[in-house]
Amino acid sequence: MLSSCILSIGKEIISGFINDTNSSYIALLLTEFGIYNRFIVSTDDTENDIKESFLSCIDKVDIIITTGGLGPTYDDITIPSIAKALNKKIILSKSAYNHIKAFYRELYKKGKIDSPDMNEKRTKMAYIPEGAVELENSTGAAKGIYIKENNKHIFCLPGIPKEMKPMFENGVIPILKNLSDGFIVHKTYE
């Protein structure tokens, strides 16, 4: 039976400012696909904490799913932190760059932002680890990623639930269906 870890990243999670609804949503679906979720780990959004948390799980499970830390702010460092943990370079993805550029142009046309221009903060979301597969974001700017490394399956997803859920359903579930061959039965006693 495959096992997994959900790594929820962000100061807003560990400080209690927001509830981590992503982890319970993902854990329930993993269970439905016959994947035994062994851990839900919440960590601060520092490179050291992300790497430590990731590395503490990688040898214990087959699948790691991260949520959070893919955006444009200074503390959105999940992808470069995971890349460093895996000793991978990050490279500029032209398709991610074009997606982000189009996303901000659309926001500008709707009058929601002052400028559609690509700046350093927006461009940083277009960097992905070498060899990663991009997961489409139908509602936001930052794409997710999928990495298969030494029979481990790593997914990095946005933290915003309205972005994470469609990405999980459309990008992650098809991969999980091909990996899992079982199901888990739960029985509740009263």
Side-chain angles (χ1 to χ4, degrees):
M1 175 185 296
L2 294 171
S3 62
S4 61
C5 171
I6 300 164
L7 182 56
S8 181
I9 299 165
K11 195 173 296 318
E12 64 280 6
I13 297 287
I14 62 165
S15 63
F17 284 117
I18 65 166
N19 289 326
D20 177 17
T21 58
N22 288 341
S23 291
S24 57
Y25 169 83
I26 293 169
L28 184 61
L29 288 173
L30 290 171
T31 301
E32 287 180 15
F33 287 108
I35 298 166
Y36 172 50
N37 191 62
R38 291 188 59 197
F39 308 101
I40 294 176
V41 179
S42 297
T43 189
D44 201 355
D45 39 22
T46 67
E47 181 182 304
N48 213 32
D49 287 344
I50 294 168
K51 281 172 47 180
E52 263 183 42
S53 299
F54 176 80
L55 291 171
S56 74
C57 290
I58 194 77
D59 292 330
K60 298 178 181 98
V61 298
D62 306 296
I63 300 163
I64 295 180
I65 300 173
T66 74
T67 62
L70 304 188
T73 63
Y74 74 94
D75 59 351
D76 287 324
I77 57 170
T78 297
I79 287 181
S81 300
I82 298 297
K84 281 186 181 177
L86 294 170
N87 294 313
K88 289 187 172 288
K89 291 182 199 175
I90 58 169
I91 56 170
L92 180 69
S93 162
K94 290 194 185 286
S95 64
Y97 182 89
N98 290 335
H99 169 80
I100 294 161
K101 189 174 182 178
F103 177 81
Y104 282 106
R105 262 197 218 131
E106 193 59 33
L107 287 181
Y108 179 73
K109 284 180 191 173
K110 293 178 179 177
K112 294 185 177 190
I113 58 172
D114 294 334
S115 169
D117 298 334
M118 290 296 284
N119 56 32
E120 188 177 334
K121 290 178 179 181
R122 293 172 182 172
T123 300
K124 93 175 180 106
M125 293 186 288
Y127 282 87
I128 65 169
E130 232 174 358
V133 174
E134 296 172 26
L135 301 174
E136 294 302 318
N137 189 338
S138 60
T139 58
K143 288 189 174 190
I145 60 163
Y146 166 58
I147 302 170
K148 184 177 179 188
E149 181 83 6
N150 298 324
N151 291 320
K152 304 291 181 172
H153 302 272
I154 301 146
F155 300 89
C156 297
L157 309 177
I160 300 168
K162 74 176 185 177
E163 293 182 32
M164 185 281 298
K165 286 180 179 181
M167 188 180 293
F168 189 85
E169 291 165 7
N170 299 320
V172 178
I173 286 177
I175 296 168
L176 295 179
K177 281 183 178 178
N178 288 328
L179 297 177
S180 180
D181 58 358
F183 59 93
I184 297 174
V185 176
H186 287 272
K187 191 167 189 168
T188 305
Y189 296 95
E190 292 186 31

